[in-house]
Amino acid sequence: MRQTLSHDDVVRLLKDPSGENRREAAVKISSTYGAEDLTDEERNIAEDILRALAKDVETSVREALAENLKEYSGLAHDLAVTMASDVNSVALPIIQFSDVLSDDDLLDIVRTQGTEKQNAVAQRATVSEEVADALV
């Protein structure tokens, strides 16, 4: 069942913008973001909010985004790249599962990032021959 952000959630967030309340909002917004019933305007607003949350100081907020968005094929490319560049707990789910990342993105990860991120690339369901060669 999809969780949606309610008026009460917004009020709670305004009164107490704690990391936990921001994480809960991130879960609800990111699960709504992939819904087919959003208008273009609503989707654009959601993307703007997600971009802000992707820079949140609390790792748990960014982890919630990554977990909820890792398999969403409509994820904005810049959000996927931002999350793939984050700490491992945020980046690894995006790197391993997101089909939004291009071969160029994956090659950059393989060439410039640490072993854990390289392993996440290797664990993808499929990789191109060029990415596979870079992993060797």
Side-chain angles (χ1 to χ4, degrees):
M1 187 172 100
R2 181 176 80 184
Q3 299 179 9
T4 58
L5 192 67
S6 69
H7 181 290
D8 289 343
D9 293 324
V10 173
V11 170
R12 184 177 327 105
L13 192 56
L14 290 171
K15 286 183 179 180
D16 178 16
S18 66
E20 179 59 25
N21 284 339
R22 292 193 318 273
R23 188 197 67 75
E24 287 179 22
V27 167
K28 291 179 180 183
I29 293 167
S30 59
S31 70
T32 302
Y33 175 63
E36 294 178 13
D37 58 342
L38 289 181
T39 67
D40 288 343
E41 182 180 359
E42 290 169 331
R43 190 168 314 286
N44 289 336
I45 291 168
E47 282 181 2
D48 288 343
I49 294 169
L50 292 173
R51 284 184 182 96
L53 291 171
K55 297 174 185 171
D56 197 288
V57 68
E58 287 285 336
T59 305
S60 65
V61 172
R62 301 187 321 271
E63 289 169 346
L65 290 181
E67 191 57 37
N68 282 289
L69 297 173
K70 67 184 181 185
E71 296 184 80
Y72 178 50
S73 62
L75 179 62
H77 180 257
D78 66 298
L79 276 168
V81 170
T82 296
M83 289 188 284
S85 302
D86 206 328
V87 297
N88 286 347
S89 61
V90 176
L92 298 180
I94 295 295
I95 294 169
Q96 183 176 351
F97 295 105
S98 180
D99 61 4
V100 174
L101 296 173
S102 68
D103 278 356
D104 287 340
D105 299 326
L106 297 174
L107 288 168
D108 184 56
I109 290 166
V110 169
R111 293 175 180 149
T112 65
Q113 300 297 310
T115 305
E116 289 187 59
K117 290 183 180 180
Q118 293 169 355
N119 287 339
V121 172
Q123 293 171 358
R124 292 172 66 87
T126 60
V127 294
S128 70
E129 186 175 333
E130 185 178 10
V131 172
D133 288 345
L135 285 165
V136 178

